[in-house]
PDB file of all heavy atoms in Angstrom:
ATOM      1  N   GLU A  96      -6.354  16.684 -31.620  1.00  0.00           N
ATOM      2  CA  GLU A  96      -5.516  15.531 -31.321  1.00  0.00           C
ATOM      3  C   GLU A  96      -5.524  15.272 -29.819  1.00  0.00           C
ATOM      4  O   GLU A  96      -5.868  16.170 -29.032  1.00  0.00           O
ATOM      5  CB  GLU A  96      -4.072  15.748 -31.788  1.00  0.00           C
ATOM      6  CG  GLU A  96      -3.921  16.012 -33.278  1.00  0.00           C
ATOM      7  CD  GLU A  96      -4.287  14.812 -34.143  1.00  0.00           C
ATOM      8  OE1 GLU A  96      -4.214  13.657 -33.617  1.00  0.00           O
ATOM      9  OE2 GLU A  96      -4.646  15.011 -35.313  1.00  0.00           O
ATOM     10  N   ARG A  97      -5.064  14.087 -29.428  1.00  0.00           N
ATOM     11  CA  ARG A  97      -5.025  13.743 -28.002  1.00  0.00           C
ATOM     12  C   ARG A  97      -4.258  14.781 -27.198  1.00  0.00           C
ATOM     13  O   ARG A  97      -4.701  15.208 -26.125  1.00  0.00           O
ATOM     14  CB  ARG A  97      -4.382  12.357 -27.836  1.00  0.00           C
ATOM     15  CG  ARG A  97      -4.274  11.883 -26.410  1.00  0.00           C
ATOM     16  CD  ARG A  97      -3.517  10.569 -26.313  1.00  0.00           C
ATOM     17  NE  ARG A  97      -3.370  10.114 -24.943  1.00  0.00           N
ATOM     18  CZ  ARG A  97      -2.487  10.623 -24.082  1.00  0.00           C
ATOM     19  NH1 ARG A  97      -1.662  11.594 -24.471  1.00  0.00           N
ATOM     20  NH2 ARG A  97      -2.428  10.161 -22.841  1.00  0.00           N
ATOM     21  N   ALA A  98      -3.117  15.230 -27.746  1.00  0.00           N
ATOM     22  CA  ALA A  98      -2.294  16.209 -27.014  1.00  0.00           C
ATOM     23  C   ALA A  98      -3.051  17.518 -26.793  1.00  0.00           C
ATOM     24  O   ALA A  98      -2.914  18.151 -25.741  1.00  0.00           O
ATOM     25  CB  ALA A  98      -0.997  16.462 -27.776  1.00  0.00           C
ATOM     26  N   ASP A  99      -3.863  17.919 -27.769  1.00  0.00           N
ATOM     27  CA  ASP A  99      -4.659  19.144 -27.597  1.00  0.00           C
ATOM     28  C   ASP A  99      -5.690  18.950 -26.482  1.00  0.00           C
ATOM     29  O   ASP A  99      -5.945  19.855 -25.686  1.00  0.00           O
ATOM     30  CB  ASP A  99      -5.387  19.479 -28.908  1.00  0.00           C
ATOM     31  CG  ASP A  99      -4.447  19.673 -30.090  1.00  0.00           C
ATOM     32  OD1 ASP A  99      -3.560  20.556 -29.999  1.00  0.00           O
ATOM     33  OD2 ASP A  99      -4.577  18.928 -31.072  1.00  0.00           O
ATOM     34  N   SER A 100      -6.259  17.771 -26.425  1.00  0.00           N
ATOM     35  CA  SER A 100      -7.233  17.492 -25.358  1.00  0.00           C
ATOM     36  C   SER A 100      -6.556  17.539 -23.990  1.00  0.00           C
ATOM     37  O   SER A 100      -7.093  18.100 -23.032  1.00  0.00           O
ATOM     38  CB  SER A 100      -7.870  16.107 -25.584  1.00  0.00           C
ATOM     39  OG  SER A 100      -8.554  16.061 -26.826  1.00  0.00           O
ATOM     40  N   VAL A 101      -5.371  16.941 -23.903  1.00  0.00           N
ATOM     41  CA  VAL A 101      -4.652  16.929 -22.629  1.00  0.00           C
ATOM     42  C   VAL A 101      -4.313  18.353 -22.192  1.00  0.00           C
ATOM     43  O   VAL A 101      -4.504  18.720 -21.025  1.00  0.00           O
ATOM     44  CB  VAL A 101      -3.377  16.069 -22.731  1.00  0.00           C
ATOM     45  CG1 VAL A 101      -2.504  16.213 -21.478  1.00  0.00           C
ATOM     46  CG2 VAL A 101      -3.741  14.596 -22.948  1.00  0.00           C
ATOM     47  N   LEU A 102      -3.860  19.176 -23.127  1.00  0.00           N
ATOM     48  CA  LEU A 102      -3.508  20.568 -22.778  1.00  0.00           C
ATOM     49  C   LEU A 102      -4.743  21.310 -22.276  1.00  0.00           C
ATOM     50  O   LEU A 102      -4.678  22.053 -21.297  1.00  0.00           O
ATOM     51  CB  LEU A 102      -2.900  21.274 -23.980  1.00  0.00           C
ATOM     52  CG  LEU A 102      -2.332  22.678 -23.724  1.00  0.00           C
ATOM     53  CD1 LEU A 102      -1.300  22.679 -22.602  1.00  0.00           C
ATOM     54  CD2 LEU A 102      -1.717  23.234 -25.024  1.00  0.00           C
ATOM     55  N   SER A 103      -5.876  21.049 -22.902  1.00  0.00           N
ATOM     56  CA  SER A 103      -7.121  21.660 -22.439  1.00  0.00           C
ATOM     57  C   SER A 103      -7.452  21.196 -21.028  1.00  0.00           C
ATOM     58  O   SER A 103      -7.882  21.982 -20.173  1.00  0.00           O
ATOM     59  CB  SER A 103      -8.261  21.281 -23.396  1.00  0.00           C
ATOM     60  OG  SER A 103      -9.510  21.694 -22.895  1.00  0.00           O
ATOM     61  N   GLY A 104      -7.209  19.943 -20.748  1.00  0.00           N
ATOM     62  CA  GLY A 104      -7.453  19.426 -19.400  1.00  0.00           C
ATOM     63  C   GLY A 104      -6.526  20.055 -18.375  1.00  0.00           C
ATOM     64  O   GLY A 104      -6.936  20.364 -17.246  1.00  0.00           O
ATOM     65  N   LEU A 105      -5.274  20.275 -18.760  1.00  0.00           N
ATOM     66  CA  LEU A 105      -4.314  20.916 -17.845  1.00  0.00           C
ATOM     67  C   LEU A 105      -4.727  22.357 -17.558  1.00  0.00           C
ATOM     68  O   LEU A 105      -4.657  22.830 -16.417  1.00  0.00           O
ATOM     69  CB  LEU A 105      -2.903  20.882 -18.436  1.00  0.00           C
ATOM     70  CG  LEU A 105      -2.292  19.492 -18.679  1.00  0.00           C
ATOM     71  CD1 LEU A 105      -0.926  19.628 -19.353  1.00  0.00           C
ATOM     72  CD2 LEU A 105      -2.198  18.690 -17.391  1.00  0.00           C
ATOM     73  N   ASP A 106      -5.196  23.054 -18.595  1.00  0.00           N
ATOM     74  CA  ASP A 106      -5.682  24.420 -18.390  1.00  0.00           C
ATOM     75  C   ASP A 106      -6.852  24.435 -17.415  1.00  0.00           C
ATOM     76  O   ASP A 106      -6.968  25.322 -16.561  1.00  0.00           O
ATOM     77  CB  ASP A 106      -6.130  25.035 -19.724  1.00  0.00           C
ATOM     78  CG  ASP A 106      -4.967  25.299 -20.674  1.00  0.00           C
ATOM     79  OD1 ASP A 106      -3.808  25.314 -20.210  1.00  0.00           O
ATOM     80  OD2 ASP A 106      -5.222  25.475 -21.891  1.00  0.00           O
ATOM     81  N   ARG A 107      -7.713  23.422 -17.506  1.00  0.00           N
ATOM     82  CA  ARG A 107      -8.863  23.343 -16.588  1.00  0.00           C
ATOM     83  C   ARG A 107      -8.392  23.098 -15.164  1.00  0.00           C
ATOM     84  O   ARG A 107      -8.976  23.631 -14.208  1.00  0.00           O
ATOM     85  CB  ARG A 107      -9.787  22.214 -17.045  1.00  0.00           C
ATOM     86  CG  ARG A 107     -11.080  22.094 -16.242  1.00  0.00           C
ATOM     87  CD  ARG A 107     -12.088  23.188 -16.619  1.00  0.00           C
ATOM     88  NE  ARG A 107     -13.318  23.084 -15.854  1.00  0.00           N
ATOM     89  CZ  ARG A 107     -13.558  23.764 -14.707  1.00  0.00           C
ATOM     90  NH1 ARG A 107     -12.610  24.592 -14.238  1.00  0.00           N
ATOM     91  NH2 ARG A 107     -14.691  23.614 -14.050  1.00  0.00           N
TER      92      ARG A 107
END
Side-chain angles (χ1 to χ4, degrees):
E96 301 293 336
R97 180 185 178 283
D99 302 302
S100 299
V101 171
L102 187 55
S103 172
L105 298 176
D106 291 343
R107 185 76 180 94

